Amino acid sequence: MIKGDNILNVGTPAGGGISIIANDPSTSGGGGGGDSPPITEELQLYINPEADVYSDTGTTLAVDGDNIRQINDQSGNGNTLTQPTAAKQPIYNTTQFGNGNAAIQSINDGLQVSLDFENSTSFTWYLVYEKTNTTAINYYYISSASGGGYPRSEFRSNMIMLRGTSGSGRSVNYTDDGALKVIAITVDRSADEYKMYANGSYIGASTSSVTNWPVNIGRIFGSLSYTTYFGIQMFYTAAHDATQVQEVSDWLNTKYSIY
């Protein structure tokens, strides 16, 4: 089990040892009918709006309308997201997605984290989100610099581009209709490939090299001047293939009923 699995009982059986009884992940709450994603190997960061979202520094769970001060990473790696400045804190929203699914409501704000995908580190990013404006550029990860800077992701009206730490971009053409969706982006350093998927379906690949293209993320949920609602986000330190992307996307669809 990873952090977030539902444990019902821990006890000592008559014969000795320790007994742990956990909820069946096919019936308990959380993403895709269970807290644990179908792939947990090399899971670097797992943000679940239904788990460990706080209005303070890890004591008071956020409720609808609260500012978010801290979100605890559910991957078990301790990549806690924090934002001490109230004006830059996103909002906890329990009504936008429906079906009891919470969202992180973000506009001109973001939570601080440190994720370093250097030249040799492949990665995969899964993102569930809904945009309120399809013409503006929205930044869903950015650097730790106060003014933004690089790296950053640029979700545009006709493409999705990831910019690395140097500012160099990799993009795939994609028309965003503003509906709730799951996007997956894979960066395979060994194969020198950058691919993008929407709702489990392959969209396209960038022709630019990714072998000398570090991405060092400092903030997540920085969506500029228009509100975006975020569901589950996950980063892996591995490039998932098409079968794995479909598996994880279908798991997310089970939770959010996207497609």
Side-chain angles (χ1 to χ4, degrees):
M1 290 180 286
I2 67 168
K3 183 175 174 59
D5 285 333
N6 297 305
I7 298 176
L8 295 180
N9 182 60
V10 178
T12 303
I18 297 175
S19 170
I20 300 176
I21 301 175
N23 280 346
D24 183 343
S26 65
T27 58
S28 60
D35 284 332
S36 298
I39 301 173
T40 58
E41 294 83 1
E42 299 174 291
L43 179 59
Q44 183 70 15
L45 175 67
Y46 174 19
I47 304 168
N48 185 341
E50 273 91 52
D52 291 340
V53 179
Y54 298 97
S55 59
D56 55 19
T57 55
T59 300
T60 307
L61 289 171
V63 298
D64 188 54
D66 278 353
N67 279 25
I68 298 171
R69 172 66 173 79
Q70 177 174 312
I71 301 178
N72 289 355
D73 174 21
Q74 300 300 299
S75 74
N77 293 313
N79 290 311
T80 304
L81 291 87
T82 63
Q83 180 51 264
T85 304
K88 295 183 180 297
Q89 292 170 354
I91 303 298
Y92 196 62
N93 185 305
T94 60
T95 61
Q96 180 66 24
F97 290 162
N99 298 319
N101 293 319
I104 309 301
Q105 178 180 328
S106 176
I107 179 170
N108 290 324
D109 47 39
L111 296 172
Q112 300 167 350
V113 70
S114 180
L115 294 177
D116 295 332
F117 302 111
E118 299 295 344
N119 291 333
S120 61
T121 305
S122 297
F123 65 92
T124 299
W125 180 23
Y126 292 95
L127 170 65
V128 175
Y129 74 98
E130 182 179 11
K131 296 173 69 173
T132 60
N133 183 289
T134 58
T135 60
I137 300 175
N138 289 276
Y139 303 157
Y140 296 155
Y141 75 67
I142 49 180
S143 76
S144 59
S146 60
Y150 302 117
R152 68 186 185 211
S153 62
E154 298 180 3
F155 282 63
R156 306 187 180 200
S157 61
N158 61 350
M159 73 170 62
I160 294 179
M161 175 183 289
L162 301 192
R163 293 190 183 272
T165 304
S166 68
S168 178
R170 309 290 183 267
S171 65
V172 172
N173 291 337
Y174 177 70
T175 300
D176 195 324
D177 60 3
L180 182 65
K181 59 180 59 66
V182 53
I183 292 293
I185 295 174
T186 67
V187 175
D188 189 331
R189 308 290 193 179
S190 298
D192 200 16
E193 292 179 338
Y194 171 110
K195 296 180 178 180
M196 193 191 105
Y197 303 78
N199 297 334
S201 297
Y202 176 70
I203 301 300
S206 170
T207 58
S208 300
S209 174
V210 296
T211 57
N212 187 25
W213 187 62
V215 179
N216 307 117
I217 298 170
R219 283 185 289 171
I220 294 179
F221 306 120
S223 66
L224 282 183
S225 300
Y226 296 93
T227 299
T228 299
Y229 300 93
F230 296 94
I232 285 174
Q233 287 196 59
M234 295 181 292
F235 285 87
Y236 291 80
T237 54
H240 286 180
D241 62 25
T243 300
Q244 292 171 311
V245 169
Q246 187 70 65
E247 182 181 10
V248 175
S249 298
D250 287 348
W251 174 77
L252 290 166
N253 182 58
T254 301
K255 175 178 175 60
Y256 293 102
S257 300
I258 298 170
Y259 55 88

